[in-house]
Amino acid sequence: MEVYLGIDVGSVTTKFAVLDEDNQLVTSLYWRTQGKPIAMVREGLREIARRLPPDVRVRGVGTTGSARYLAGAIVGSDVIKNEIISQAVAALKYVPDARTILEIGGQDSKIIIIRDGVVVDFGMNTMCAAGTGSFLDHQAQRLNIEIEDFGRMALQSKSSVRIAGRCTVFAESDMIHKQQMGHRIEDILYGLCKALVRNYLNNVCLGKDLLPPIVFQGGVAFNKGIVRALNEILEAEIIVPPHHEVMGAIGAAILAHEEMSARGNGTGFRGFNLSDASYRTSSFECKACPSLCEIAQVFQDGKVLARWGGRCDLWEGVKP
């Protein structure tokens, strides 16, 4: 069995996807990064190996996400791509005529505009948590509600209350005030969903032309309350594709398949068992120009595997 592996390492979750020669999903993995990307990548590889037949052959590996260079250095990635390209490639696999992609993750959110199968514009929010999944996580914890139950409870709302969602601090204060006024939890939760959607549309999507078909992916797409709020506010059908939570990893695997088909040589994949190696990361300040960029580097058993970072590509993938 020959497969292609995609790994999407974000600040909140780490995702794995294994595709066959026809780019059909064989297995996937979605779990929290817990602030330990190296440990999660290593454990994830072991779990994926347990799910695959022993004679499987990995023909190519792609990495994406905020820690894509780190993950790529550790696993021996054949292709490293940003989240925009990976998310778009995966979305077009499941919705070939998609023209707008909404993606809300744990720590950031993005919009991707596609015309005739080509990415023509995008927007991202990496600065404010008020439009991301961590915003919902925090409020669910405060209300002592499992995040898995959040969407189901929000769908029960008959009359949502308006929550000030421009800022997480103001939103929390407003929610407490609405609770003290006696509003139902379900109405407050759905009001929070609508606040997140308004914040997302007014910031990330500002100035963008959101044309259908509109695809909604990312971990927050599990929340049916958010899907309902998007439907109501945009007055358009929102398509949640299968495997929406691992779309970045699926896109990375597809890109690895394309790269290896064009290249024709062997993969750089280091194997599923990385448990015997010792990894550590550090950084230093590049003094090649006045920008003084911080350059990250990862070591394996005391030797530099790769370096990256900065405004230019001086250190991208460089080894000493």
Side-chain angles (χ1 to χ4, degrees), residues 148-165:
E148 292 80 9
D149 297 329
F150 192 112
R152 177 184 57 79
M153 295 181 66
L155 286 181
Q156 297 173 7
S157 171
K158 302 299 182 183
S159 177
S160 67
V161 298
R162 186 172 182 88
I163 302 295

Side-chain angles (χ1 to χ4, degrees), residues 32-184:
R32 291 185 180 270
T33 305
Q34 300 176 16
K36 302 178 290 185
I38 295 177
M40 292 300 101
V41 167
R42 293 164 71 175
E43 182 58 33
L45 287 175
R46 288 195 291 268
E47 175 60 28
I48 289 293
R50 285 193 286 267
R51 300 184 182 187
L52 296 174
D55 60 342
V56 70
R57 179 187 176 196
V58 177
R59 291 288 306 278
V61 181
T63 56
T64 188
S66 57
R68 59 188 178 273
Y69 290 109
L70 175 62
I74 292 172
V75 304
S77 179
D78 301 299
V79 59
I80 300 176
K81 293 292 184 179
N82 63 49
E83 304 97 306
I84 301 298
I85 298 300
S86 299
Q87 293 281 348
V89 166
L92 290 172
K93 168 180 167 56
Y94 293 100
V95 188
D97 57 345
R99 293 199 286 177
T100 304
I101 301 172
L102 313 178
E103 199 274 341
I104 303 180
Q107 205 67 12
D108 63 18
S109 53
K110 57 187 75 70
I111 180 174
I112 306 170
I113 304 299
I114 296 178
R115 298 293 182 265
D116 299 319
V118 177
V119 176
V120 297
D121 195 11
F122 70 92
M124 291 188 69
N125 169 33
T126 60
M127 301 301 291
C128 178
T132 66
S134 60
F135 178 42
L136 298 179
D137 270 349
H138 177 69
Q139 298 308 324
Q141 291 174 6
R142 192 185 66 78
L143 295 171
N144 198 27
I145 296 172
E146 294 293 331
I147 190 63
E148 292 80 9
D149 297 329
F150 192 112
R152 177 184 57 79
M153 295 181 66
L155 286 181
Q156 297 173 7
S157 171
K158 302 299 182 183
S159 177
S160 67
V161 298
R162 186 172 182 88
I163 302 295
R166 298 285 292 180
C167 171
T168 56
V169 177
F170 295 155
E172 184 167 321
S173 298
D174 205 15
M175 288 175 65
I176 293 172
H177 177 62
K178 295 299 193 295
Q179 285 179 270
Q180 292 171 338
M181 291 176 65
H183 288 284
R184 298 169 66 239

